[in-house]
Amino acid sequence: MPEISEVLKKKGLKATPQRMAIYQALLSTDAHPGAEVIYEQLKMAYPTLSLNTVYTNLDILADVGLIRRIDSGEGLFRYDGNPSPHLHIICTDCRKVEDIYGDCSIDLADMTGKVEKWSGYKVNDHALYFFGQCPECLKR
Amino acid sequence: MPEISEVLKKKGLKATPQRMAIYQALLSTDAHPGAEVIYEQLKMAYPTLSLNTVYTNLDILADVGLIRRIDSGEGLFRYDGNPSPHLHIICTDCRKVEDIYGDCSIDLADMTGKVEKWSGYKVNDHALYFFGQCPECLKR
DNA sequence: TTCAGTGCAAAGACTTTGCACTCAG
DNA sequence: CTGAGTGCAAAGTCTTTGCACTGAA
């Protein structure tokens, strides 16, 4: 994975096999996995990988802005390979987390401006979660 | 606190002193405390109160919709005495959580409709967090 | 009276820390 | 080489569970 190692180096990070694998794993899924899931998934290919390393690298990757930490309210953190602020919808039955694309984000840019004026905060980021039941769970 | 015991009974909950105190504590602050903070605060007045009871009751109160569980991304849950969906702004420096009131929520009602159409979900709730630096932290 | 609620302790889940070893640059 | 990164183990933090006791209705 030549591109990935370049992206990491640009951020001043060493392109270790573990780090590349963790980042790659996030880029290649839209399932918003947690640390444990990524660890289990990579253990096959990297038997010596430690859970610690997964946590450490998820932190580092989120710090430099390559990935995004998601807090779905389950008491664990999930991660998203797409770091740009976007919307998530969470099924309260099966706990699935899905991305929402569309024209919604336009409204949010407006709102950020309003919020800055109102609160006096310097707003750097936002997170919008919708909670409900996914089509599959609704069928039951 | 006569009103509080009535509110609890209407929800089918026994109005125990501990439960009333926990609910009252949330109603009388806008600081969005976590379980531990509430526990420490009430221990003066209720020396035998157990942390377990605080957790149990926060869960119950959130279940019946009297309070709201907030996940500020710190790895702990905070609680809000105002259960109606409203916006929160979180200072990334001092970790303060504040409410945002204003005309923003109108846009969100629109957005919820869009999201339902787009995703096929039945949306029951949403949470919008803004992250930034509060006026006090900006001064430093 | 009677069961929901409480309190204590212990366990559980997720995450972080400490430290010696290793390998990418 | 050399410090950033890794792996193992242990500890930490927040939260939940088990179970006998208690008190609100």
Side-chain angles (χ1 to χ4, degrees):
Chain A
M1 9 183 155
E3 310 161 18
I4 292 216
S5 72
E6 287 314 309
V7 173
L8 292 176
K9 282 176 197 165
K10 255 180 210 162
K11 294 285 184 179
L13 302 175
K14 284 191 183 175
T16 65
Q18 296 90 334
R19 180 167 294 161
M20 285 194 284
I22 291 166
Y23 185 35
Q24 175 65 50
L26 270 178
L27 288 179
S28 60
T29 180
D30 56 359
H32 309 86
E36 192 83 38
V37 172
I38 296 172
Y39 171 64
E40 291 301 333
Q41 182 183 328
L42 293 178
K43 230 173 29 178
M44 313 172 203
Y46 300 81
T48 72
L49 181 67
S50 84
L51 183 54
N52 178 327
T53 298
V54 176
Y55 275 108
T56 305
N57 278 298
L58 290 172
D59 260 10
I60 291 173
L61 291 170
D63 273 354
V64 301
L66 287 175
I67 67 173
R68 172 167 279 257
R69 202 177 202 185
I70 300 177
D71 199 326
S72 64
E74 298 164 283
L76 60 79
F77 294 113
R78 292 163 168 273
Y79 295 85
D80 188 336
N82 175 6
S84 66
H86 60 286
L87 316 189
H88 292 106
I89 188 162
I90 299 168
C91 178
T92 49
D93 284 3
C94 67
R95 306 282 353 169
K96 177 168 56 186
V97 179
E98 294 192 273
D99 296 311
I100 298 179
Y101 302 104
D103 54 357
C104 311
S105 26
I106 302 162
D107 307 334
L108 266 181
D110 284 2
M111 214 182 290
T112 300
K114 285 187 199 169
V115 166
E116 287 200 326
K117 274 180 207 153
W118 188 90
S119 64
Y121 277 58
K122 171 79 187 66
V123 174
N124 303 313
D125 195 13
H126 61 254
L128 176 51
Y129 302 105
F130 289 92
F131 299 91
Q133 290 156 301
C134 69
E136 291 78 45
C137 288
L138 277 175
K139 282 178 193 155
R140 285 176 241 149
Chain B
M1 13 185 153
E3 312 160 16
I4 294 216
S5 71
E6 287 313 309
V7 173
L8 292 176
K9 282 176 196 164
K10 255 181 209 160
K11 294 284 185 180
L13 302 176
K14 284 192 184 173
T16 65
Q18 295 89 335
R19 181 168 294 162
M20 286 194 284
I22 291 166
Y23 185 35
Q24 175 64 52
L26 271 178
L27 289 179
S28 59
T29 181
D30 55 358
H32 309 86
E36 192 83 37
V37 172
I38 297 172
Y39 171 63
E40 292 300 333
Q41 183 183 326
L42 294 178
K43 230 174 30 179
M44 313 171 204
Y46 299 81
T48 71
L49 181 67
S50 83
L51 184 54
N52 178 330
T53 299
V54 176
Y55 275 108
T56 305
N57 278 298
L58 289 172
D59 261 9
I60 292 174
L61 291 170
D63 274 354
V64 301
L66 288 177
I67 66 173
R68 171 167 280 257
R69 202 178 201 184
I70 300 177
D71 199 326
S72 64
E74 298 164 282
L76 61 81
F77 294 113
R78 290 160 169 273
Y79 296 86
D80 188 337
N82 174 6
S84 66
H86 61 285
L87 317 190
H88 292 107
I89 187 160
I90 298 167
C91 179
T92 48
D93 285 2
C94 67
R95 307 280 355 165
K96 177 168 54 188
V97 179
E98 294 192 272
D99 296 311
I100 298 179
Y101 303 103
D103 54 356
C104 311
S105 24
I106 303 162
D107 307 334
L108 266 181
D110 285 3
M111 213 182 293
T112 302
K114 285 188 198 169
V115 166
E116 286 200 326
K117 274 181 205 152
W118 187 90
S119 64
Y121 277 58
K122 171 81 187 65
V123 174
N124 303 313
D125 194 12
H126 62 254
L128 175 52
Y129 301 104
F130 289 91
F131 299 92
Q133 291 156 301
C134 69
E136 291 78 44
C137 287
L138 276 176
K139 282 179 196 156
R140 288 176 236 149

